[in-house]
Amino acid sequence: MKRLFATALMAAATMLSGPSMAQGNYPNKPVTILVPAAAGGPSDTVARLVAEAMRVDLGQQVLIENVGGAGGSLGAGRVAKANPDGYTLLLYHIGVATFGPLYPDLPYKPGEAFDSVGLVTDVPMTLVGRKDLAAADVTALFTWLKGEGKGATFGTAGVGAVSDLCGRLLTDAAGIELTVVPYKGTGPAMNDLVGGQIDLMCDQTTNTANQIKAGEIKPYAVTTKERIAILPQVPTLAETSVKDFEISAWHAIWAPKGTPEAIRQKLAASLQKALKDPKVIERFAALGTAPVSADMATPAALDKRFQSELARWGKLLANASTK
Ligand code: MLT
């Protein structure tokens, strides 16, 4: 009888210290958000702003780890293989929906390796050049790229990065040729554009707006349907010969597959609060973007967006070259 009682007590204690207790206490140590691109770039900027606000809500440090390379597919792979306990997360963008067709030998399937936490923001992109490029506007730039400037250098964060995706779409739409120069993120690529070592980039306003305003780089066009408030003088690509051109970089937070629902909901609630933080809203606005609404910063909204983007890019990039 005594033994039975002791066994029952032990079973109860095990249940309390098992997964449900761990989830109830979550988080009880620092959470790491892995950004699969170099520090100082656009994904890093978004992640650090959100992490700081989530830290306040979660009551634990939220650390950023930058693992750049292969367009973000390397770092995302680290998260795909991480323990699904809510302590390792991925913050990246539209690129995650393009890794499948661009890297057929990837050791994980992006559509199956992650559980959604929520969408974060949707960032416009800009076609920008080194400040001493002679072309005065985007029409002159395309003319130059079809003649003397054929094969101009174009900095990207590698195959799978949204900067690379923009370049691919642009070369097709405008009938131009570019020589891609890959970096571990567009943070370092921007340093080289400012320094005049490369000619062009297509990158998010979170990385270009300040440099444009400081006159360090030349803005040619924005990639959204409408002009954007912080750069009203810059035309849309749709105003030029590439009529239907449109791309932006939606960002999201994912967890490794198998992360408990309760933890993801807690993270989503924290993300929603972070995105309402006036400091986050103000910093995003200064960089040309805005947080998504609370109903989009949810696992369900990200699931929907991710699935439709996987299908869209799966078709569009089915025959893409990975060079
Ligand atoms: C990209 O091109 O995908 C991003 O700019 C990567 C980054 O954050 O550096």
Side-chain angles (χ1 to χ4, degrees):
M1 201 50 187
K2 258 189 194 160
R3 262 191 70 185
L4 267 181
F5 187 59
T7 310
L9 264 185
M10 270 174 63
T14 309
M15 275 171 68
L16 282 175
S17 62
S20 61
M21 184 66 172
Q23 286 171 40
N25 279 347
Y26 175 84
N28 59 14
K29 62 179 185 179
V31 173
T32 297
I33 297 184
L34 189 144
V35 174
S43 309
D44 184 66
T45 298
V46 166
R48 284 177 198 273
L49 288 170
V50 169
E52 172 54 21
M54 285 178 75
R55 176 189 68 79
V56 175
D57 179 61
L58 292 172
Q60 284 289 344
Q61 276 188 291
V62 181
L63 309 170
I64 300 295
E65 186 182 353
N66 299 91
V67 181
S73 63
L74 281 180
R78 283 262 296 269
V79 179
K81 291 193 173 66
N83 205 358
D85 57 4
Y87 290 99
T88 307
L89 306 172
L90 171 70
L91 190 149
Y92 206 42
H93 54 44
I94 183 172
V96 184
T98 70
F99 294 158
L102 291 174
Y103 292 97
D105 298 329
L106 210 60
Y108 60 95
K109 287 195 166 46
E112 293 167 19
F114 304 110
D115 276 335
S116 297
V117 172
L119 288 156
V120 176
T121 183
D122 204 347
V123 187
M125 300 188 71
T126 41
L127 176 62
V128 291
R130 60 180 160 81
K131 63 173 178 256
D132 55 350
L133 272 187
D137 57 29
V138 65
T139 306
L141 179 70
F142 287 157
T143 304
W144 178 70
L145 286 170
K146 285 175 187 168
E148 210 187 315
K150 190 169 172 177
T153 49
F154 183 81
T156 77
V159 173
V162 67
S163 45
D164 188 84
L165 188 59
C166 180
R168 283 169 189 266
L169 299 177
L170 200 56
T171 48
D172 284 354
I176 54 175
E177 273 177 38
L178 298 166
T179 304
V180 173
V181 183
Y183 294 78
K184 284 195 170 171
T186 49
M190 179 57 74
N191 293 340
D192 277 6
L193 187 68
V194 169
Q197 281 91 21
I198 54 173
D199 298 317
L200 294 164
M201 280 172 66
C202 179
D203 200 17
Q204 300 164 63
T205 53
T206 37
N207 201 33
T208 60
N210 289 340
Q211 305 289 6
I212 291 171
K213 284 185 181 158
E216 296 286 355
I217 56 175
K218 216 171 195 168
Y220 283 107
V222 293
T223 63
T224 40
K225 268 209 178 108
E226 310 287 334
R227 291 190 182 205
I228 59 174
I230 56 156
L231 299 169
Q233 77 286 12
V234 183
T236 66
L237 272 169
E239 288 172 54
T240 71
S241 51
V242 287
K243 295 277 171 261
D244 295 324
F245 196 94
E246 194 192 357
I247 186 169
S248 61
W250 57 267
H251 289 253
I253 297 180
W254 287 269
K257 191 81 185 170
T259 303
E261 172 75 12
I263 289 182
R264 287 195 290 139
Q265 291 298 346
K266 182 151 192 177
L267 286 166
S270 177
L271 174 63
Q272 288 153 23
K273 279 191 204 143
L275 296 180
K276 284 192 185 136
D277 182 326
K279 261 191 281 170
V280 172
I281 296 173
E282 191 188 315
R283 289 286 297 127
F284 272 23
L287 296 171
T289 189
V292 297
S293 57
D295 60 330
M296 300 305 280
T298 60
L302 174 54
D303 275 346
K304 196 167 167 209
R305 182 75 176 266
F306 192 37
Q307 290 310 319
S308 82
E309 288 285 271
L310 283 164
R312 174 182 177 213
W313 295 108
K315 269 191 219 131
L316 285 174
L317 297 172
N319 301 312
S321 153
T322 49
K323 297 283 169 341

